[in-house]
Amino acid sequence: MRSMWHLEGYAGTARAGWAFAALPGFIAGTALQLQQPALREALVYGCFVALALVLYLIVATKNIVFRGHVWRWCLAFGAAAALAFGLCGLRATAFEHNALTPALEGRDIAVVGVVAAMPQRSEAGLRFRFAVESATLDGAAVALPPQIDLSWYSSGHGLFAASAGGAARPPPAPLPLLRAGERWRMTVRLKAPHGNSNPHGFDYELWLWEQGLQATGYVRAGPKDAVPRWLGDTWRHPVERARQHVRDAIQAYVAERPLAGVIAALVVGDQNAIERPDWDIFRATGVAHLMSISGLHITMFAWLAAALVGWAWRRSARLCLFYPAPSAALLGGVLLATAYAVFSGWGVPSQRTIWMLATVGLLRLSGRRWPWPQVWLLACAVVLAVDPWALLQAGFWLSFVAVGVLFAADPGSAGARPSGLRGRLSAMAREQWVVTLALAPLTLLLFGQVSVVGFLANAVAIPWVTLVVTPLSMLGVLLAPLWDLAAWAVAVLGHYLQWLAHLPFATVSIAAPAVWAAAAGVLGGVLLTLRLPWSLRVLGLPLVLPVLLWQSPRPAPGQFELLAADIGQGNAVIVRTAAHTLVYDTGPRFSQDSDAGQRVLVPLLRALGERVDTVLLSHRDSDHIGGAPAVLAMQPRANLLSSIEADHELQALRPATRCMAAQDGGQRWAWDGVAFEVLRPRAADYAVPNKANAMSCVLRISNGVRTALLVGDIEQPQEARLIADAAPLRAEDSVLSPLRTQIPVVSPLRADVLLVPHHGSKTSSSAAFLDAVQPRLALVQAGYRSPYGHPAALVLARYQERGIRVLDSAHCGAAVWTSAQPDEVSCQRALALRYWHHRVP
């Protein structure tokens, strides 16, 4: 009997070993597929699935287990990896077949469909998802993706503001109150999903792919367009209709918009309802995960629901005889948590949590007791089987690393769990400290900063939000006055978080480390939290140091680098020397709560570990200064140089020094062997009224061998003035005079790199100007399918006639050029290309 039990136990251990090998194999196969720059044919992925089945049959044929058969573990790993690679590839190819046909981009298409989610309203208008039922172009039926993301702009915003002839169009009629489930007929103009591509930036195209959206666009509602028509209500999307009703009720009942936004986010998952300043405080204090429907909310709701179901179930002897109370509590908790996740919008974090809870619950209901590493890996594999692209989301890694660390550091695994209120509070504090410490390196890797006050903030915020704010907010659906109490609770927490956020040491930012350093840092953080002897824990310290001390590579002395960020329609260029940084323009403002500074430049500067010395805003146009408030707030010591007026609103944030041509006594300086000189505007230009474009600050950057010219939105009259003012530099006037014996005298306008004037507008880039500058490379910062037609075909022809290489941000993404390698340009779209990314024709 003893030998039989021994054999059975060993066989079970071996099977567990195969499973332990198969689960990481499935994760590895998914990760490998997500690195593909392009999709293969469906047949190729089908072959991988067939290979997985063959390998599995080989592993499963032997009934007798022998020690030392490591090859079976390898086969199990390979079978799971091939299965994951093939299944993910098949799903991706099937999804790609529904992509928007390029020929339909920019065309006016009549569509009939249903509003598929509660619309988001802002000062710019409405944004909503639209389930397409039929579509016609010039009377002929066309095929569109099943779901599209649409904007319906209000008066004064959006693309209706300029007609084809350049004249302003009359504003459209007031926007209707769209509701989920309504059927509409409208004319739309679509384009393929296209987002900004920047180093360390948010992958908008991946987000759209994961959301099932394959086209974006806007409603045509001008005087020459067909009026959008409401065709009636449908029974579809009742949950979205209910969510919209509750959100509108919260916003109508709670007078203070910031408080109403937090309550709406907690009840229906509308994160857009939270205002940007509040998000900044939540991120600075490390509690952003609490202010939306996250895995923590779903898990805590499941725990409370299971406790209530178990309590009610035990009140009935008949129910207990019919089904055990612990199992009923577990099943009820998971089902009620699923209902909560659905009502809150069924967001990706909620889905991940539900699949994880369901996996663990099924294991317990089946009577299996797997070791925690296998349970953890199984939950990861299940989540990736449902949503493979979650592997590239920061939330996935934060959630699963936190759960894994808690499993590994669980004191209950080594002995009795703490009892009593004091013991439980101590255990909760320790768990919070363990998670905070273990996730710090990972948070630095993913976001470039970590909240130093996060432990203090979460120690109060987690129980307060989970046990007070969220229950009051949800019960307010049944009894509206409870929303007043919820708003009071949010306000109390807000005061505490504001105090923490304004502490001088609230956050720490570092440059984004290399992958090896980040992996070592995460391993070190985990090692420090495990229940091991301190002689072993301290080994985690040297592993964390590369993350804390990492510095982004910089140009050598005497060299400089240009990073033209991908910010859509606008200008934003980061200029770096060996020890200094200048930001030339800060891109556009997208909405009241969003701009290129907050979305692109601040994360990019943080990832590079930059301390900006000077912010130069070429002129007052919003596509050049829209991101300035965010950049200036992040860089409190940066000097501001601009041609903006003395009464401009930015002057209140940071007094600006007027940019002026050096020959009129303006700016000329040197950093690390690199000369900077302002060429325009002239002093006389400030004395007379001028268009904003005419006042663009023109900056020349040179190390004496290579030169870059950043010209803002100058037009042909200013180009002619630059040509007339150009003269060879006199050695005695050069800030590089100590090197004048080594540097040839050249015209100030000659440049290796030119930031194309006015984004390639027809009003700029004259033939005479291009002949004077003679650039080898021209960079165009313009949006994909720019409504202004930038860059103009006529202008591109001038560059091509002169053999000038032109790179635009729509095709290249962020472009990096260095004076040390003037013939090479790094395009972010090419470096980070994946199969879900848009290929611009």
Side-chain angles (χ1 to χ4, degrees):
M1 177 69 70
R2 184 181 304 174
S3 61
M4 184 178 69
W5 277 107
H6 176 77
L7 180 60
E8 182 180 351
Y10 181 72
T13 303
R15 286 194 295 269
W18 301 343
F20 194 76
L23 293 175
F26 192 90
I27 298 172
T30 303
L32 180 62
Q33 201 280 332
L34 297 182
Q35 299 304 310
Q36 306 304 302
L39 287 174
R40 308 290 183 180
E41 296 293 332
L43 179 61
V44 174
Y45 296 112
C47 291
F48 273 94
V49 175
L51 175 62
L53 296 177
V54 171
L55 293 177
Y56 175 77
L57 290 175
I58 294 175
V59 174
T61 48
K62 298 293 185 179
N63 294 323
I64 301 176
V65 179
F66 298 96
R67 294 184 182 272
H69 282 188
V70 179
W71 61 271
R72 287 192 182 176
W73 291 15
C74 296
L75 287 178
F77 181 94
L83 180 64
F85 186 89
L87 291 178
C88 184
L90 288 173
R91 288 180 60 182
T93 52
F95 182 73
E96 192 181 46
H97 283 313
N98 294 322
L100 179 68
T101 304
L104 298 179
E105 289 190 275
R107 305 292 300 275
D108 289 344
I109 303 173
V111 298
V112 174
V114 176
V115 179
M118 63 175 185
Q120 302 292 333
R121 185 178 291 271
S122 67
E123 84 280 1
L126 292 171
R127 185 174 180 179
F128 57 98
R129 295 185 184 182
F130 197 68
V132 178
E133 296 178 332
S134 63
T136 57
L137 175 63
D138 298 331
V142 294
L144 293 181
Q147 280 203 19
I148 57 180
D149 191 49
L150 292 177
S151 297
W152 192 338
Y153 295 112
S154 59
S155 174
H157 296 86
L159 303 180
F160 61 81
S163 65
R169 304 172 97 183
L175 299 183
L177 180 61
L178 287 184
R179 294 193 178 276
E182 292 181 339
R183 178 175 283 111
W184 282 78
R185 175 185 289 118
M186 56 185 65
T187 302
V188 299
R189 186 170 289 184
L190 303 176
K191 65 179 181 179
H194 186 94
N196 300 328
S197 180
N198 292 283
H200 314 287
F202 176 68
D203 194 339
Y204 178 65
E205 293 169 36
L206 172 62
W207 182 84
L208 288 174
W209 177 283
E210 194 174 18
Q211 298 294 318
L213 299 170
Q214 294 174 287
T216 63
Y218 63 97
V219 177
R220 300 283 292 174
K224 297 182 180 180
D225 301 308
V227 178
R229 289 182 55 193
W230 178 80
L231 301 180
D233 274 324
T234 71
W235 57 268
R236 297 166 62 181
H237 310 293
V239 175
E240 289 295 321
R241 175 69 71 93
R243 293 178 65 223
Q244 184 175 356
H245 175 75
V246 171
R247 182 195 63 182
D248 294 345
I250 293 172
Q251 293 177 341
Y253 188 88
V254 181
E256 295 187 51
R257 182 178 173 184
L259 302 179
V262 174
I263 295 173
L266 292 173
V267 176
V268 300
D270 185 10
Q271 298 185 34
N272 293 320
I274 300 179
E275 297 186 349
R276 176 174 160 184
D278 294 327
W279 274 125
D280 293 339
I281 292 176
F282 298 152
R283 293 189 183 100
T285 54
V287 301
H289 62 102
L290 293 173
M291 302 305 167
S292 59
I293 305 300
S294 63
L296 177 63
H297 288 91
I298 302 299
T299 303
M300 292 300 295
F301 185 89
W303 177 76
L304 291 173
L308 290 175
V309 170
W311 176 85
W313 201 270
R314 291 184 181 91
R315 305 279 77 79
S316 171
R318 181 176 298 179
L319 288 177
C320 289
L321 291 174
F322 174 74
Y323 198 66
S327 299
L330 178 60
L331 187 61
V334 173
L335 291 177
L336 289 175
T338 302
Y340 176 43
V342 170
F343 184 76
S344 64
W346 197 236
V348 173
S350 300
Q351 295 178 38
R352 287 197 298 262
T353 306
I354 290 299
W355 296 125
M356 183 176 67
L357 291 174
T359 301
V360 176
L362 287 175
L363 279 176
R364 290 194 175 184
L365 291 176
S366 66
R368 290 178 171 83
R369 295 293 184 267
W370 287 13
W372 75 259
Q374 290 182 338
V375 176
W376 183 68
L377 287 173
L378 178 62
C380 291
V382 169
V383 169
L384 294 181
V386 176
D387 180 15
W389 301 278
L391 191 63
L392 299 178
Q393 302 295 338
F396 172 88
W397 290 100
L398 292 174
S399 298
F400 278 101
V401 170
V403 171
V405 168
L406 289 177
F407 268 135
D410 183 11
S413 61
R417 293 183 179 275
S419 59
L421 179 60
R422 182 175 180 180
R424 291 179 181 178
L425 290 177
S426 176
M428 289 176 59
R430 183 185 182 280
E431 288 179 355
Q432 180 60 42
W433 170 250
V434 164
V435 170
T436 301
L437 182 60
L439 293 185
L442 183 60
T443 303
L444 285 171
L445 168 65
L446 296 173
F447 304 110
Q449 69 175 8
V450 66
S451 175
V452 177
V453 298
F455 176 75
L456 297 175
N458 280 281
V460 174
I462 288 178
W464 188 254
V465 172
T466 303
L467 302 178
V468 179
V469 178
T470 301
L472 288 174
S473 300
M474 296 182 66
L475 291 174
V477 177
L478 303 176
L479 188 62
L482 291 177
W483 282 332
D484 290 326
L485 294 177
W488 172 83
V490 172
V492 169
L493 180 63
H495 290 305
Y496 174 63
L497 296 178
Q498 285 182 11
W499 174 73
L500 289 177
H502 287 91
L503 293 176
F505 54 84
T507 60
V508 171
S509 300
I510 64 169
V515 175
W516 68 266
V522 173
L523 180 60
V526 172
L527 189 60
L528 287 170
T529 61
L530 295 180
R531 297 183 66 83
L532 297 172
W534 276 106
S535 59
L536 295 178
R537 289 196 199 185
V538 295
L539 296 178
L541 291 176
L543 295 176
V544 174
L545 287 179
V547 173
L548 300 178
L549 302 178
W550 185 265
Q551 293 185 351
S552 179
R554 301 192 66 90
Q559 305 293 341
F560 66 98
E561 172 190 278
L562 303 182
L563 195 164
D566 185 4
I567 39 81
Q569 185 71 30
N571 279 156
V573 181
I574 300 174
V575 184
R576 305 168 73 216
T577 66
H580 295 81
T581 301
L582 176 143
V583 175
Y584 183 90
D585 282 341
T586 57
R589 177 176 178 266
F590 306 120
S591 66
Q592 182 178 356
D593 295 328
S594 178
D595 56 66
Q598 173 248 344
R599 280 193 185 181
V600 178
L601 294 180
V602 167
L604 183 54
L605 291 169
R606 183 181 295 126
L608 295 174
E610 295 297 331
R611 189 187 69 180
V612 176
D613 298 278
T614 299
V615 175
L616 196 162
L617 304 178
S618 62
H619 61 297
R620 67 172 182 262
D621 280 0
S622 62
D623 58 334
H624 295 254
I625 67 171
V631 174
L632 293 175
M634 179 205 181
Q635 301 287 341
R637 298 183 180 180
N639 298 317
L640 180 59
L641 190 63
S642 182
S643 63
I644 59 175
E645 301 84 350
D647 58 350
H648 195 279
E649 59 184 7
L650 283 177
Q651 298 278 7
L653 298 179
R654 188 79 49 85
T657 301
R658 176 178 289 181
C659 68
M660 188 183 302
Q663 61 191 105
D664 290 339
Q667 290 80 27
R668 178 188 292 167
W669 70 95
W671 285 340
D672 311 312
V674 179
F676 293 75
E677 181 178 359
V678 175
L679 302 182
R680 284 198 61 82
R682 300 295 300 271
D685 294 330
Y686 286 98
V688 295
N690 268 308
K691 293 170 54 179
N693 290 349
M695 298 300 294
S696 292
C697 303
V698 177
L699 181 66
R700 179 180 183 270
I701 309 164
S702 179
N703 64 356
V705 179
R706 303 297 176 191
T707 302
L709 195 61
L710 310 181
V711 297
D713 279 357
I714 64 170
E715 298 178 343
Q716 292 187 14
Q718 290 75 50
E719 293 174 353
R721 288 283 304 275
L722 279 172
I723 297 172
D725 293 342
L729 283 174
R730 295 178 300 169
E732 60 269 25
D733 292 336
S734 174
V735 294
L736 294 177
S737 55
L739 304 177
R740 58 180 174 267
T741 58
Q742 306 173 21
I743 301 175
V745 177
V746 295
S747 167
L749 291 185
R750 290 284 299 273
D752 298 275
V753 179
L754 170 67
L755 183 64
V756 172
H758 200 184
H759 322 289
S761 167
K762 295 179 181 179
T763 61
S764 304
S765 296
S766 64
F769 182 69
L770 296 184
D771 290 338
V773 178
Q774 299 181 21
R776 302 162 66 181
L777 174 67
L779 301 176
V780 182
Q781 290 187 297
Y784 174 64
R785 298 192 65 84
S786 166
Y788 308 102
H790 297 161
L794 179 63
V795 171
L796 290 178
R798 293 194 198 116
Y799 284 90
Q800 293 170 357
E801 290 171 359
R802 290 160 176 80
I804 302 170
R805 183 185 180 189
V806 178
L807 289 177
D808 66 277
S809 52
H811 288 83
C812 180
V816 178
W817 176 90
T818 64
S819 60
Q821 297 176 308
D823 296 327
E824 298 181 10
V825 181
S826 172
C827 285
Q828 182 63 22
R829 279 199 170 271
L831 292 175
L833 184 64
R834 298 294 183 268
Y835 59 80
W836 55 81
H837 288 150
H838 180 216
R839 269 71 168 175
V840 181

